[in-house]
Amino acid sequence: MSLPPEKASELKQIIHQQLLKMDVHGRIREVLAETIREELAPEHQQLSTEDLIKALRQRGIIDEVMKELKFVTDVNEKERTSAPKPSTHFVDREPPVLKKTNIDPTRRYLYLQVLGGKAFLEHLQEPEPLPGQICSTFTLCLHFRNQRFRSKPVPCACEPDFQDGFLLEIHKDSLGDGSKMVDATTMLSICDPVHIVLIKTDTFGETTLVASYFLEWRSVLAAENGITNVAVELLGVGTESKVSVGVLNIRLEMYPQLNKTLSSEITSTQFTLERQKTAEKERLFLVYAKQWWREYLQIRPTHNTRLVKIFAQDENGVNRPVCSYVRPLRAGRLLDTPRQAARFVSVLGHERAPVIGGGSGKQEQWCTLLAFLCRNKGDCEDHANLLCSLLLGFGLEAFVCVGTKAKGVPHTWVMTCGSDGTITFWESLTGHRYIHRPINPDDPPLVEQPKPLYPYRTIGCIFNHQKFFGNCQPSDAVEVCVFDLHNESKWKPMSGEAIKSVCPPGATSSVPPFPPLCASTIDAAVTSNEIEVQLRVLVSEHRKDLGLSTVWDDQLSYLLSPALAAYELERTTGVSAGNEEFQDAVRRAVPDGHTFKGFPIHFVHRNARRAFATCLRSPFCEEIICCRGDQVRLAVRVRVFTYPESACAVWIMFACKYRSVL
């Protein structure tokens, strides 16, 4: 754990004060003199540090110091009534108590320990981080049977010091014999892997997906004493999916211990059978998909140029049916409406898969949901798959659309079909919604046609977790497209049975299960305040460089809050509210003869310096920040709106008021 420099120096000062208070230095000098006089033999000319430590321990001085520091307190101690002490003496406070996990004796657990990493050769030249220095970090994210875990961040190094343990609940048998403990044979049939994702976070807070690995944990069922150690080689992602990035040392242990372990022949036979079954299903689906594609091309030769996507590569370079990237996802109490779900997906960062080298070719990479959520950013396909899954979870008939935008750029977005036949397009990168009204090309020229507001040009196919349709209308232009999905002359369907055979909830498949969404760990009020304080410093410094003084108006800053709340409400619901009250408050706060200017801007990151640099590129904002005049008062307000997975929408508003001098 690295401390910021000011905290490290504060801690040193506290320790120094405590040592002075107890006169530890004087007592060490006494022990040193006594040890030299009594115990040091004449032939020894110098006393080692070990000898001195031993002497201090024998006389109980080290124990006394540790007791005095009071790092440990009794958990059951009665609540203290004394007032909290100032932060400079936080040593005397009650330390945080480690949470205890209640282990249900009727459940089986897998204790997965990560005991360090090695051979992360990309970080071979990485210098040892200094105490308190901000450095790049590695974080492990795990998902297993609807449970998610996250390791403590460790500094990036050739041998990263991962030392974390995760208690994964396997199964509770509540059928038949009550809560009979599940045995090894039953656990062998649980084929869910442990999905491990490695994320790198740089010094600016930017995240990168390093590796994604599916751990087969059932080897522990054949291990002696129910404990096994495995060395997991992590491979890179995308274009580097065949390159090793490092090795993790993992220890697996069963709780409670198994009464009877399986033989390694039984486990290996089970794994082989599962692989063969999955491979056969995937082979049969591939044969069917090829036949479907041949039939599709025979309808019209121009279909060869349409964006009909049946398979897509994941981050490990594995080809999966596109339908397997979508399934109904319920957000529990984290999201309340479909529109709020669209807003949440839109504030996750947009980033194309990295390509080594130049060229305009787009590297295709459809991420598994865990990799997308842990990285907190992804391409338009990742956003569309997540939004479609959430809308399906809210009970809507939703599909992912594959097509193009202007200039023929490939794009994916989401479509919902209303029970009254209304077709709505959802742009997953912005949260915008568009009602689709098709143009009828057979209408006479005088008939007024609707003007499409959406940015989409062509559409090749649509799909969800159960259905796949190829567009076989004469034109693939979105504006003339009719979404009558029951009409096979307009949309060629794939067999639902074929899709079900390779996509959950079917039988065993290589498709990873979806993880649940996690609540935000960001404190909105604290984060808003931190960014605001940093922006005030940046504005003051910028104006100082221009030879201008800066006077902040706290009341005016506070009055900007309703506007920021209204902007976010409008983005989420499409409804604007509260503008009249904001305008009235500003008019009352700005005296006669004064001018008010305000500039709102929206970000999906929390980097104040980066946000300020972006603001200065806007001439309107620069005019406010660099305002000159009589009685200039500046204001800035930041409001962070948190969403699941630590995603957030950051609204910033700069404002100024000054006396107008003609």
Side-chain angles (χ1 to χ4, degrees):
M1 188 182 105
S2 57
L3 284 170
E6 63 273 16
K7 288 285 180 192
S9 59
E10 186 183 5
L11 188 58
K12 285 177 187 172
Q13 187 185 355
I14 291 163
I15 293 170
H16 181 67
Q17 285 174 357
Q18 189 69 26
L19 295 177
L20 283 175
K21 190 170 108 179
M22 297 176 65
D23 192 26
V24 170
H25 296 93
R27 293 168 74 180
I28 289 173
R29 278 193 286 273
E30 288 172 21
V31 171
L32 185 59
E34 192 177 322
T35 307
I36 291 170
R37 189 170 61 250
E38 294 179 7
E39 296 176 19
L40 195 62
E43 60 266 26
H44 290 94
Q45 293 304 308
Q46 58 183 16
L47 187 69
S48 70
T49 309
E50 287 77 12
D51 292 332
L52 180 57
I53 297 284
K54 185 181 172 186
L56 290 169
R57 190 172 280 117
Q58 282 173 350
R59 286 160 177 77
I61 290 171
I62 289 176
D63 290 339
E64 258 182 75
V65 171
M66 295 309 291
K67 279 178 191 170
E68 191 67 30
L69 286 172
K70 292 182 186 173
F71 280 118
V72 180
T73 57
D74 186 5
V75 176
N76 298 320
E77 193 175 304
K78 288 183 180 175
E79 201 173 327
R80 296 178 181 181
T81 53
S82 58
K85 296 185 179 181
S87 60
T88 48
H89 297 95
F90 70 87
V91 174
D92 290 331
R93 277 192 195 168
E94 275 193 83
V97 179
L98 288 175
K99 288 182 182 175
K100 292 181 180 178
T101 304
N102 292 323
I103 296 182
D104 187 336
T106 65
R107 295 174 189 244
R108 285 275 185 208
Y109 294 91
L110 174 70
Y111 186 45
L112 186 152
Q113 285 178 281
V114 185
L115 304 173
K118 58 187 178 185
F120 285 78
L121 299 179
E122 195 177 323
H123 301 279
L124 194 60
Q125 305 299 324
E126 201 93 7
E128 192 74 22
L130 298 168
Q133 181 188 5
I134 297 172
C135 61
S136 299
T137 58
F138 281 141
T139 309
L140 286 171
C141 303
L142 277 71
H143 169 234
F144 178 68
R145 291 175 73 81
N146 225 34
Q147 305 158 75
R148 283 180 62 183
F149 302 89
R150 196 178 185 93
S151 74
K152 295 188 289 287
V154 299
C156 293
C158 184
E159 296 188 355
D161 187 27
F162 290 112
Q163 297 294 332
D164 259 304
F166 309 98
L167 196 64
L168 317 179
E169 186 183 317
I170 293 176
H171 188 60
K172 181 182 179 183
D173 189 354
S174 57
L175 302 172
D177 300 327
S179 293
K180 182 182 174 183
M181 181 66 70
V182 66
D183 59 10
T185 312
T186 311
M187 282 192 285
L188 188 59
S189 66
I190 299 171
C191 55
D192 297 302
V194 179
H195 190 183
I196 301 173
V197 167
L198 179 61
I199 300 290
K200 178 183 175 181
T201 309
D202 67 16
T203 50
F204 301 104
E206 290 296 311
T207 54
T208 313
L209 178 62
V210 179
S212 175
Y213 184 83
F214 294 95
L215 174 68
E216 178 51 79
W217 59 273
R218 290 173 292 173
S219 57
V220 75
L221 300 176
E224 200 175 339
N225 301 324
I227 300 172
T228 184
N229 291 295
V230 288
V232 169
E233 183 184 19
L234 300 177
L235 298 176
V237 294
T239 52
E240 300 171 45
S241 60
K242 302 288 184 285
V243 183
S244 174
V245 294
V247 176
L248 286 181
N249 294 319
I250 292 177
R251 177 186 172 99
L252 300 171
E253 188 174 350
M254 292 300 304
Y255 279 114
Q257 280 196 356
L258 293 168
N259 298 327
K260 186 182 175 185
T261 56
L262 303 172
S263 69
S264 55
E265 290 82 13
I266 291 174
T267 55
S268 59
T269 305
Q270 173 74 9
F271 300 158
T272 306
L273 283 170
E274 285 176 5
R275 278 195 295 270
Q276 288 173 352
K277 194 175 178 182
T278 302
E280 179 62 13
K281 285 186 173 184
E282 289 175 350
R283 186 189 69 80
L284 289 172
F285 182 78
L286 181 60
V287 169
Y288 170 76
K290 283 180 176 177
Q291 175 64 26
W292 185 93
W293 178 243
R294 277 195 297 271
E295 291 171 1
Y296 182 72
L297 291 182
Q298 285 169 10
I299 297 170
R300 207 174 280 110
T302 53
H303 283 185
N304 197 28
T305 60
R306 294 191 179 181
L307 276 175
V308 178
K309 193 148 195 64
I310 303 170
F311 294 94
Q313 281 193 352
D314 68 6
E315 66 265 26
N316 291 326
V318 178
N319 270 315
R320 302 188 191 278
V322 289
C323 296
S324 69
Y325 289 90
V326 173
R327 74 193 71 166
L329 179 64
R330 298 200 305 191
R333 303 207 179 264
L334 301 178
L335 297 168
D336 297 318
T337 65
R339 295 191 189 192
Q340 195 181 10
R343 179 61 177 152
F344 155 59
V345 175
S346 73
V347 297
L348 291 168
H350 177 224
E351 181 183 84
R352 291 190 170 176
V355 183
I356 298 174
S360 57
K362 181 185 170 186
Q363 169 66 30
E364 185 184 82
Q365 181 179 301
W366 290 34
C367 281
T368 54
L369 183 55
L370 184 69
F372 175 39
L373 294 176
C374 294
R375 194 167 54 132
N376 252 180
K377 58 187 175 184
D379 212 336
C380 62
E381 294 88 357
D382 304 322
H383 287 77
N385 290 334
L386 175 57
L387 178 56
C388 184
S389 298
L390 288 166
L391 296 182
L392 287 167
F394 276 112
L396 302 179
E397 188 180 8
F399 295 89
V400 174
C401 304
V402 180
T404 61
K405 292 196 296 184
K407 299 179 182 175
V409 176
H411 189 63
T412 57
W413 65 97
V414 179
M415 174 189 94
T416 52
C417 305
S419 53
D420 59 352
T422 305
I423 300 297
T424 308
F425 293 147
W426 303 64
E427 177 47 64
S428 59
L429 297 178
T430 61
H432 292 158
R433 298 163 65 255
Y434 308 95
I435 302 296
H436 172 64
R437 295 185 181 87
I439 293 171
N440 188 351
D442 298 328
D443 279 344
L446 293 176
V447 175
E448 191 177 345
Q449 297 286 4
K451 290 183 180 178
L453 299 172
Y454 44 77
Y456 319 120
R457 294 290 177 267
T458 66
I459 183 165
C461 66
I462 64 172
F463 65 88
N464 63 18
H465 62 304
Q466 293 173 331
K467 299 173 184 176
F468 183 98
F469 296 97
N471 184 2
C472 51
Q473 295 170 62
S475 169
D476 63 350
V478 179
E479 57 189 18
V480 297
C481 193
V482 176
F483 289 93
D484 181 4
L485 302 180
H486 300 291
N487 187 341
E488 292 193 15
S489 67
K490 297 185 184 299
W491 293 94
K492 180 172 171 58
M494 252 191 192
S495 159
E497 289 300 314
I499 293 168
K500 193 176 177 182
S501 70
V502 288
C503 299
T508 52
S509 71
S510 59
V511 179
F514 269 27
L517 293 183
C518 286
S520 177
T521 56
I522 297 168
D523 186 318
V526 170
T527 310
S528 302
N529 203 47
E530 284 174 354
I531 298 172
E532 197 171 299
V533 168
Q534 290 169 31
L535 285 174
R536 284 196 175 203
V537 171
L538 290 167
V539 170
S540 299
E541 287 176 351
H542 186 75
R543 287 177 63 84
K544 191 177 179 182
D545 292 343
L546 298 172
L548 300 170
S549 61
T550 307
V551 182
W552 294 101
D553 187 330
D554 290 338
Q555 176 61 13
L556 185 60
S557 296
Y558 180 70
L559 295 184
L560 304 178
S561 294
L564 301 183
Y567 298 147
E568 182 61 21
L569 182 68
E570 189 175 2
R571 287 286 178 99
T572 306
T573 63
V575 178
S576 179
N579 197 34
E580 301 82 6
E581 292 89 344
F582 167 65
Q583 289 182 353
D584 188 51
V586 169
R587 285 194 194 98
R588 290 167 62 83
V590 179
D592 288 343
H594 283 64
T595 301
F596 170 84
K597 289 180 181 177
F599 177 81
I601 191 165
H602 171 254
F603 296 97
V604 294
H605 63 78
R606 304 190 300 279
N607 188 322
R609 195 170 288 276
R610 209 168 110 201
F612 184 65
T614 306
C615 292
L616 283 178
R617 286 199 288 272
S618 162
F620 302 107
C621 188
E622 194 200 20
E623 194 180 309
I624 292 170
I625 291 170
C626 307
C627 180
R628 295 171 182 266
D630 185 22
Q631 296 181 25
V632 175
R633 297 291 181 269
L634 291 170
V636 63
R637 192 65 170 173
V638 177
R639 180 73 168 86
V640 174
F641 296 88
T642 57
Y643 288 92
E645 298 296 332
S646 297
C648 59
V650 179
W651 283 97
I652 300 172
M653 192 167 188
F654 289 100
C656 68
K657 64 175 182 179
Y658 59 93
R659 184 192 290 278
S660 304
V661 180
L662 296 174

